[in-house]
Amino acid sequence: MMKARDVSVYYGPKKAIDEVSIDISPDYVTAFIGPSGCGKSTFLRCFNRMNDTIPSASVTGSIELEGDNILGDSMDVVQLRARVGMVFQKPNPFPKTIYENIAYGPKIHGLAEKKPDLDAIVERSLTRAGLWEEVKDRLDDSGTALSGGQQQRLCIARAIAVDPEVILMDEPASALDPIATAKIEELIDELSGRYAIVIVTHSMQQAARVSQRTAFFHLGKMVEYGPTSDIFQNPIEERTRDYITGRYG
Amino acid sequence: MNNTADFKRPTRTPEFEKRLAKRYRAERTFKLMGQGAIVFSVAVLIFLLGNMLVNGIGGFQRAELAVPITFAESGLTGDEVSLTAPSAVQTLEMQGMAEVVQLFAEKALGERGADQLSDQAWRDVAAALTADPALLEKTEPMIFNLPASSDLASGLAGEGSPEMRALAKDLVSQGKLAENWDWAFLSRSDATSPQAVGIWGALKGSIFTMLVTLALAFPVGILAALYLEEYAPKNRWTDLIEVSINNLAAVPSIIFGLLGLAVFLAVFPNLRSAPLIGGMTLALMTMPVIVISGRNAIKAVPPSIRDGALAVGASPVQVVFHHVLPLALPGMLTGTIIGMARALGETAPLLLIGMRAFVATPPTDLTSPATVLPVQIFLWSDEIDRGFVERTSAAIVVLLLFLLLMNSIAIYLRNKFEKTW
Amino acid sequence: MSPITLILIAIGLGLAGWLAGRAKAWSFQKAHPQSRPASRPIYHAWYVAIWVVIPVLVFISFWSFAAPDLITRSVLTSMAAADLPSFGFEREAWLAEARAVATGRAPGVFNDGAEKLVEPFREAISFYTWIGLAVTIVIAVGGGIFAFLRIRPDFGARTKVERTVMIVLLLASLVAILTTFGIFASLVFETVRFFGMVSPVDFLFGTFWAPDPMSNPDNPDGSRYGAIPLFWGTIFIGAIIAMIVAIPLGLMSAIYLTQYANPSLRTWVKPALEILAGVPTVVYGYFAALTIAPMIRDAAVSVGVTNASTESALAAGVVMGVMIIPFVSSMADDSIAAVPSAMRDGSYAMGATKSETITKVLFPAALPGIVAGIMLAVSRAIGETMIVVMAASTAANLSANPLDRMTTVTVQIVKMLTGEGSFDHPATLSAFALGFVLFLVTLALNFAALRVVKRFREAYE
């Protein structure tokens, strides 16, 4: 679904990502792992052009979404971000009601104008995110009044409300407690066939649990990529092996 | 695993594209509104300043008649001693100096022209004589550019009665009437005719008032800021002080005028237009500003400095006065200068305490009647004579220049001493 | 001898005491170089200096009130005072003139009767000047010696000095409370006097305002003191017209500067807006009266409105609005910047355009702070004096037409207090009542704004 070829990211003169190529597909969950500062979040942000919001950042190479080059001028970034959603490390619900949080995307993109349509989308998104039962009676409560884990599922529901093709997750569970983390991982599993999911995580155990393909990053380069089981049991590169076995990270 | 084929892909429909175009149009309009707001605000500022400047240029000039005077034939007597004594001008007046000047004027300008000589013009000649008594011996005529009457000045500007305008045109063509640069505007004081006014009286009053304000507000403000930030215990009294200061900073300035009227003038009833009272009133208004900016400057000093000083055994007073205060001082000075700039431009409270007297001589000390520059501007703005419009604008230009100077110094201080910890 | 001279003498003596104290403390150190004194010599020095200067300052502040009184009293007992008129304006004039000549302020007197009083004044002034000087020196030296004698190696001078410093700091802080109390008390006092003459109901609910300062003060016509037109004019000009100008322009400037503008534009425009805030209000008032008001009237006449005033509410309101733009802009700027960037990123990641993010996410999130800023701006606008004094009218008018003349609370305060009326006349006192209302309203607005900001900040902690 998405193909990245020779993508490099520069912050001013400094090279943060060095010629990375990878394929993303809805058939498998892709995990990016690596020590902190290796650039995995930076690379993730290329896929929905969130690096555009940083003035000094520049991206070279090509990334295609279903054949369209998203880095070119012909791709509209607003449309891109409706097709490639993102969930952030720290849950960031808007200071609005739960209903309005979910309805935000569909409203601005004009996907539903009438209330019954919006209601349907809200219910569907919250159900898919596993949050419907918990909040169906209090959709008018503020989104920020929920617990951390619920807020993150709210953000996931918000992202899927516009029917994206890809969902990018940047360490989605690192701010949550173990029980909430488990729920998020369960959710990723359920969502994975419908959406192409890429998850950045600093926890190798999480990557092993949740993903089918894993890419290991180190100092801006993608060192190794392959099926998750191979990466964790038979890494080819020495640096990969050192990271997996905990020699650094 | 779900089949990806049952996606609706709502974001790739033509309706979406159409809506996208509308959204981008809205985005452009929004951005244009923002630019428009900024352009309008800056344009008004430029219009205001430009207006004042254009009108003010004329305020630094005045209509003057050229009168040649031959002192040796004037019949005036005097020597080194009598012409440098304090009563020299009165002596010359008693000798009929005014008539002498009028005679010379009639010779040069004709009767109608000489009629339009300002009736205080002879004082300019007297001033020249008392400055240099040797002039009395001169046998060659000396040309004096003496102020014309305000009627003739209006005529020169193209306003006023038709006779005046014709006379002015006539005299100009003879080279006897001209609009000259009038730098003495900066050294004269208030008068009844726009030809004779100057701003020095008001400027000196402003300076005196500012000195009083500074002397009262700065120490009290800084000491209060130190107390509140460093020593005050967290109790209701401290909260009360803090709340009072924050409220005082937001009270309209006219209320301080009411306070000055009710309290200060009741205590010192015979100091009605004095810079002392004005300065005290403005000090009350400026002190909260200095406290607040002082507190911010002190807050910016990192706790590690204080901890280090305490660790070597400094007492709390020593920590503050030896370590914190020197580091916070630039920030405090910046805030003080900005507060003083605000006080310099204040008019309403000083109107209420009576600093609106007609002050024809500059104040001699802190207790003599005075006015301040903004009040002078206000008083002149009420005058009917069109000549005052230019003078008022010129006074505004002077006031704005002073404020520009003060704010530039404050910004310079802030940039020079701004430390990032 | 002016109080300033006495203060300078006191400072000089204080310096002498300072040096003496330090010398004595040094002598201790020299005599016993091993033992550490309780305080460093410099604190002993300051201890002596404090004991010299502070008692003198107390005396001087008392003396500057008492001395003129004593001088006048002494003159009145002299022989020349027998011819003085026994009361009234003339009496005061003679005394004032004689005093002026005696102090060298005036070259001569107008009233011959005052001439005879000049010499007694000169004598009394000279006499009391010497007394003042003598007492000052006695107190200063006495205090200094007292302190000097207490200096010993084990004397805790530093603690005492630091305690004095703390007291001074505390007193400085109390000035703020004193000022607030002074404002409150003076306003309340005069307002109560006013309400003794004109009923509060007439004042607060009456709709006709035309006080006559020349009328009989014992029988004020309460129906002429209806302040509603003033309240309305203040609100119409300051809270309505000015805000219609300031809020959109201030908000959109802040939004553009924080979200769209490149850094170089920001470095030029922000100072320009600050200059707008720094222009003195008398300049704005002059600009409004000289240029804007005629422009508005001419524009109105050209579209057929014939009775537009040159002192229209619109002229004053528009210029006041321009003056307020920087306040709204800077509060909006701060509030929008305080919204966590995660919220902004979240909206962009959803595919919102910049304007959608601003209007649907950032602005609602920053709303409490922006509302507080608007409340503070309104508070500033209704307390504004010079723009309305110079551009608006003094005619109280209850109208909704912005081209009509209107007056405000602040204009009337100035008018009532700069007229010819006496201080006890209800017209003059009405200014204090108006000031009191203004004080309460601005206080309430500021309190409310502060509480809104506090709750807003807590939401983001």
Side-chain angles (χ1 to χ4, degrees):
Chain A
M1 187 170 273
M2 290 193 87
K3 289 188 176 36
R5 295 287 176 267
D6 299 324
V7 174
S8 296
V9 180
Y10 295 85
Y11 285 127
K14 182 166 160 288
K15 199 179 212 182
I17 295 288
D18 190 3
E19 316 247 322
V20 177
S21 305
I22 195 171
D23 285 354
I24 307 291
S25 158
D27 296 334
Y28 46 83
V29 174
T30 310
F32 293 169
I33 61 172
S36 51
C38 66
K40 45 193 200 290
S41 289
T42 308
F43 185 58
L44 186 78
R45 282 204 306 271
C46 293
F47 286 97
N48 67 351
R49 284 178 61 177
M50 278 304 277
N51 285 325
D52 287 5
T53 62
I54 301 172
S56 61
S58 65
V59 180
T60 60
S62 90
I63 302 182
E64 284 182 4
L65 170 62
E66 300 271 305
D68 306 318
N69 180 14
I70 71 172
L71 298 177
D73 288 331
S74 58
M75 169 62 74
D76 180 71
V77 72
V78 164
Q79 194 177 31
L80 169 69
R81 291 183 187 150
R83 297 169 63 185
V84 180
M86 184 172 243
V87 175
F88 295 82
Q89 181 171 354
K90 193 162 172 299
N92 57 357
F94 301 134
K96 298 172 187 290
T97 63
I98 295 174
Y99 186 93
E100 285 299 322
N101 261 283
I102 311 287
Y104 182 70
K107 268 196 194 163
I108 58 173
H109 291 299
L111 304 180
E113 308 279 300
K114 296 199 283 265
K115 187 134 190 343
D117 298 332
L118 275 174
D119 287 349
I121 293 182
V122 168
E123 181 173 341
R124 191 181 68 216
S125 312
L126 284 169
T127 309
R128 287 213 190 121
L131 197 56
W132 175 248
E133 289 301 315
E134 289 167 59
V135 300
K136 68 182 180 194
D137 297 324
R138 45 184 184 129
L139 292 177
D140 285 333
D141 280 0
S142 169
T144 51
L146 300 172
S147 75
Q150 288 172 319
Q151 283 187 15
Q152 193 64 304
R153 277 179 283 151
L154 178 67
C155 291
I156 294 177
R158 185 175 71 187
I160 61 185
V162 293
D163 257 329
E165 295 153 52
V166 180
I167 301 182
L168 309 171
M169 298 195 177
D170 192 350
E171 305 206 28
S174 64
L176 306 177
D177 64 74
I179 298 182
T181 302
K183 283 215 173 100
I184 299 288
E185 291 181 5
E186 223 177 272
L187 193 50
I188 293 177
D189 206 36
E190 283 166 17
L191 297 171
S192 70
R194 206 177 177 83
Y195 312 98
I197 298 188
V198 183
I199 173 169
V200 164
T201 177
H202 65 262
S203 157
M204 291 176 284
Q205 293 79 7
Q206 183 172 80
R209 284 193 294 268
V210 148
S211 70
Q212 289 81 47
R213 300 272 172 98
T214 300
F216 170 63
F217 288 83
H218 182 50
L219 295 179
K221 285 189 166 40
M222 187 173 75
V223 171
E224 192 169 342
Y225 171 68
T228 303
S229 46
D230 287 354
I231 294 286
F232 281 100
Q233 279 148 23
N234 286 319
I236 303 172
E237 298 285 331
E238 188 180 327
R239 275 181 290 172
T240 319
R241 194 177 16 246
D242 287 342
Y243 180 69
I244 302 289
T245 56
R247 281 185 79 182
Y248 62 89
Chain B
M1 288 292 176
N2 294 315
N3 195 340
T4 59
D6 65 0
F7 271 132
K8 284 196 296 194
R9 305 289 172 112
T11 55
R12 300 183 75 175
T13 59
E15 288 84 28
F16 185 83
E17 313 268 326
K18 246 198 325 212
R19 212 187 128 86
L20 202 57
K22 215 167 61 162
R23 288 163 70 191
Y24 276 122
R25 268 202 306 275
E27 165 78 15
R28 267 195 300 276
T29 316
F30 192 72
K31 189 171 175 185
L32 227 67
M33 274 163 53
Q35 286 168 324
I38 293 194
V39 165
F40 181 80
S41 307
V42 175
V44 171
L45 179 67
I46 294 178
F47 183 38
L48 170 73
L49 294 179
N51 201 316
M52 293 300 141
L53 211 60
V54 162
N55 282 338
I57 299 266
F60 284 102
Q61 299 169 317
R62 75 172 171 180
E64 291 178 340
L65 292 163
V67 176
I69 297 184
T70 315
F71 283 109
E73 298 168 15
S74 63
L76 295 166
T77 58
D79 56 28
E80 186 84 31
V81 174
S82 68
L83 287 176
T84 47
S87 54
V89 177
Q90 275 139 317
T91 318
L92 287 170
E93 189 175 6
M94 287 198 289
Q95 289 186 29
M97 175 130 210
E99 290 80 35
V100 166
V101 172
Q102 195 67 20
L103 275 168
F104 277 106
E106 276 175 24
K107 258 205 298 196
L109 310 166
E111 202 178 317
R112 288 182 67 218
D115 264 346
Q116 295 306 319
L117 193 65
S118 159
D119 51 7
Q120 298 294 310
W122 65 269
R123 290 191 187 268
D124 286 6
V125 185
L129 267 184
T130 54
D132 184 9
L135 290 175
L136 209 48
E137 316 289 315
K138 284 192 83 157
T139 48
E140 309 90 47
M142 267 191 79
I143 300 195
F144 282 90
N145 284 317
L146 299 176
S149 71
S150 51
D151 287 337
L152 188 61
S154 306
L156 181 59
E159 291 154 11
S161 65
E163 305 93 57
M164 277 300 138
R165 275 183 274 150
L167 179 60
K169 220 164 143 198
D170 200 28
L171 287 169
V172 167
S173 62
Q174 295 175 39
K176 298 191 182 143
L177 176 65
E179 188 96 6
N180 297 326
W181 286 110
D182 179 26
W183 297 117
F185 175 66
L186 298 171
S187 55
R188 294 193 299 259
S189 296
D190 203 0
T192 44
S193 153
Q195 289 283 91
V197 295
I199 55 168
W200 175 238
L203 200 52
K204 197 169 174 199
S206 273
I207 293 174
F208 279 175
T209 310
M210 288 294 112
L211 284 176
V212 175
T213 305
L214 187 65
L216 291 175
F218 184 71
V220 172
I222 298 299
L223 293 177
L226 283 174
Y227 179 74
L228 287 172
E229 274 306 303
E230 298 288 328
Y231 299 117
K234 293 273 170 235
N235 59 23
R236 291 192 61 192
W237 285 111
T238 315
D239 281 344
L240 191 61
I241 297 178
E242 278 198 42
V243 166
S244 296
I245 291 182
N246 287 329
N247 284 333
L248 280 180
V251 166
S253 60
I254 194 172
I255 305 279
F256 289 99
L258 288 174
L259 177 64
L261 187 62
V263 173
F264 294 142
L265 283 183
V267 170
F268 298 108
N270 50 335
L271 287 181
R272 201 169 163 85
S273 315
L276 187 63
I277 303 295
M280 282 161 64
T281 309
L282 292 182
L284 288 180
M285 188 187 83
T286 311
M287 184 262 303
V289 173
I290 296 183
V291 170
I292 291 175
S293 73
R295 287 186 73 178
N296 288 335
I298 295 172
K299 274 199 246 253
V301 176
S304 53
I305 305 265
R306 295 185 189 78
D307 291 343
L310 284 171
V312 297
S315 73
V317 171
Q318 284 169 326
V319 169
V320 166
F321 281 90
H322 294 173
H323 297 96
V324 176
L325 187 57
L327 292 173
L329 205 55
M332 288 175 170
L333 284 178
T334 307
T336 305
I337 294 178
I338 293 181
M340 295 301 294
R342 218 187 97 182
L344 178 62
E346 274 299 332
T347 322
L350 300 179
L351 278 182
L352 293 189
I353 60 163
M355 280 188 95
R356 61 195 319 263
F358 179 79
V359 168
T361 52
T364 47
D365 59 52
L366 296 179
T367 54
S368 27
T371 189
V372 292
L373 197 49
V375 172
Q376 184 74 94
I377 292 172
F378 171 65
L379 292 175
W380 285 351
S381 73
D382 252 349
E383 296 284 346
I384 311 168
D385 197 320
R386 273 296 286 186
F388 270 109
V389 170
E390 293 186 333
R391 295 300 200 181
T392 313
S393 306
I396 288 178
V397 168
V398 172
L399 178 63
L400 290 176
L401 283 175
F402 266 99
L403 291 175
L404 183 66
L405 181 69
M406 289 173 82
N407 280 304
S408 307
I409 294 178
I411 293 177
Y412 170 74
L413 269 182
R414 182 167 60 192
N415 290 340
K416 182 154 186 230
F417 289 104
E418 189 153 55
K419 285 198 179 73
T420 39
W421 304 97
Chain C
M1 186 162 290
S2 73
I4 299 196
T5 323
L6 288 176
I7 291 177
L8 288 173
I9 292 180
I11 291 181
L13 290 172
L15 186 62
W18 193 88
L19 292 168
R22 195 174 66 162
K24 184 170 180 186
W26 274 349
S27 72
F28 291 144
Q29 275 198 318
K30 268 200 233 103
H32 308 273
Q34 309 306 88
S35 68
R36 296 179 92 197
S39 308
R40 288 205 350 264
I42 199 164
Y43 287 102
H44 296 275
W46 279 114
Y47 182 72
V48 177
I50 288 175
W51 269 102
V52 168
V53 174
I54 290 193
V56 169
L57 285 179
V58 171
F59 167 70
I60 288 176
S61 31
F62 158 74
W63 185 246
S64 52
F65 289 109
D69 235 17
L70 289 170
I71 291 176
T72 313
R73 238 178 266 250
S74 144
V75 167
L76 290 176
T77 58
S78 75
M79 286 196 323
D83 299 329
L84 199 58
S86 46
F87 60 85
F89 187 61
E90 233 187 297
R91 174 192 176 90
E92 298 302 321
W94 285 21
L95 286 169
E97 282 173 24
R99 184 185 286 118
V101 175
T103 52
R105 285 252 184 93
V109 295
F110 285 121
N111 296 313
D112 295 318
E115 183 78 41
K116 284 187 283 182
L117 293 166
V118 173
E119 197 49 46
F121 257 111
R122 284 218 177 97
E123 283 174 14
I125 289 177
S126 158
F127 179 66
Y128 281 105
T129 301
W130 282 115
I131 291 203
L133 184 63
V135 175
T136 301
I137 294 185
V138 164
I139 291 181
V141 171
I145 292 183
F146 168 72
F148 190 75
L149 289 175
R150 288 183 79 179
I151 295 182
R152 263 190 289 278
D154 60 350
F155 184 60
R158 192 186 50 121
T159 8
K160 292 215 177 340
V161 168
E162 292 191 344
R163 202 150 42 120
T164 314
V165 169
M166 292 288 275
I167 293 178
V168 167
L169 293 186
L170 181 60
L171 286 177
S173 314
L174 289 179
V175 170
I177 296 192
L178 208 69
T179 311
T180 312
F181 179 71
I183 291 180
F184 201 74
S186 63
L187 289 179
V188 165
F189 185 63
E190 306 292 352
T191 305
V192 163
R193 274 174 71 190
F194 175 70
F195 283 149
M197 302 177 188
V198 171
S199 107
V201 176
D202 281 341
F203 180 69
L204 292 172
F205 299 107
T207 57
F208 180 62
W209 179 269
D212 181 5
M214 295 289 108
S215 70
N216 185 354
D218 295 321
N219 205 1
D221 183 2
S223 65
R224 298 177 70 119
Y225 286 89
I228 294 263
L230 310 187
F231 298 148
W232 168 246
T234 309
I235 292 175
F236 191 54
I237 295 180
I240 298 182
I241 298 182
M243 286 303 129
I244 290 179
V245 170
I247 293 179
L249 290 172
L251 275 183
M252 287 313 294
S253 320
I255 287 175
Y256 187 81
L257 281 180
T258 53
Q259 305 294 321
Y260 288 97
N262 54 31
S264 60
L265 187 69
R266 250 210 305 279
T267 47
W268 284 113
V269 173
K270 270 202 97 99
L273 289 181
E274 272 173 46
I275 293 178
L276 265 184
V279 172
T281 54
V282 69
V283 176
Y284 273 118
Y286 191 60
F287 180 60
L290 189 70
T291 312
I292 300 294
M295 260 171 65
I296 289 181
R297 201 184 79 105
D298 292 343
V301 164
S302 70
V303 291
V305 181
T306 47
N307 57 345
S309 163
T310 43
E311 294 176 317
S312 60
L314 192 61
V318 164
V319 172
M320 197 187 287
V322 169
M323 182 192 81
I324 301 266
I325 288 177
F327 291 94
V328 176
S329 176
S330 98
M331 271 302 264
D333 197 313
D334 289 344
S335 307
I336 294 179
V339 177
S341 60
M343 219 124 288
R344 193 167 39 107
D345 285 346
S347 177
Y348 283 138
M350 296 289 311
T353 63
K354 217 167 198 164
S355 54
E356 286 164 355
T357 303
I358 294 171
T359 51
K360 295 180 197 289
V361 175
L362 290 183
F363 183 76
L367 197 60
I370 292 178
V371 164
I374 292 177
M375 282 162 75
L376 289 175
V378 168
S379 164
R380 179 89 177 75
I382 63 178
E384 173 46 44
T385 312
M386 292 320 290
I387 297 182
V388 277
V389 163
M390 294 166 89
S393 170
T394 50
N397 193 3
L398 207 54
S399 148
N401 177 2
L403 295 170
D404 265 346
R405 5 191 342 232
M406 249 170 262
T407 195
T408 69
V409 167
T410 47
V411 171
Q412 290 303 310
I413 292 179
V414 171
K415 181 163 178 220
M416 293 297 129
L417 288 175
T418 52
E420 308 100 38
S422 78
F423 200 76
D424 295 328
H425 195 281
T428 318
L429 291 177
S430 68
F432 283 92
L434 289 172
F436 190 51
V437 172
L438 182 65
F439 181 62
L440 288 179
V441 170
T442 48
L443 213 66
L445 275 173
N446 289 324
F447 258 132
L450 222 69
R451 295 201 61 178
V452 169
V453 167
K454 239 208 237 157
R455 256 191 323 155
F456 172 56
R457 218 160 266 160
E458 279 161 9
Y460 280 123
E461 297 295 85

